[in-house]
Amino acid sequence: MVIVTLQRNKCIGCNYCEEFAPEFFRMSKKDGKSVLLKSTDKKGFHTLKIPNHEAEEAIEKAAKACPVKIISHKTI
């Protein structure tokens, strides 16, 4: 399982996350910030649990590309 966390309020709207992992990230048309699809929000931290490890590579690329380092992930 891969757990992904996005600190959306710190997003600068660079779009790298959507480029590297479009199945998990979209850019909001309202404010231009990243949205972690199907995630739960807890005090500004949007979290998604992904059951398969196949997504790990795309998530890792998105996290490394993020210039403000607001995407984190861990494998359990």
Side-chain angles (χ1 to χ4, degrees):
M1 177 178 287
V2 180
I3 300 174
V4 185
T5 303
L6 170 71
Q7 291 178 284
R8 189 173 188 281
N9 60 336
K10 294 182 179 181
C11 180
I12 61 170
C14 71
N15 199 42
Y16 288 136
C17 55
E18 185 177 15
E19 287 181 30
F20 288 108
E23 60 274 15
F24 302 106
F25 295 96
R26 292 282 185 274
M27 301 308 289
S28 171
K29 291 181 181 179
K30 289 183 181 179
D31 62 7
K33 293 184 178 190
S34 179
V35 175
L36 181 58
L37 302 174
K38 300 179 185 174
S39 65
T40 56
D41 178 17
K42 189 170 184 181
K43 296 183 180 179
F45 289 85
H46 297 259
T47 305
L48 175 64
K49 294 180 182 179
I50 306 167
N52 61 14
H53 291 281
E54 295 172 7
E56 186 175 12
E57 185 177 339
I59 296 294
E60 187 173 345
K61 285 181 182 179
K64 285 183 178 181
C66 180
V68 289
K69 305 299 180 203
I70 59 170
I71 302 169
S72 62
H73 64 93
K74 66 179 178 179
T75 305
I76 55 172

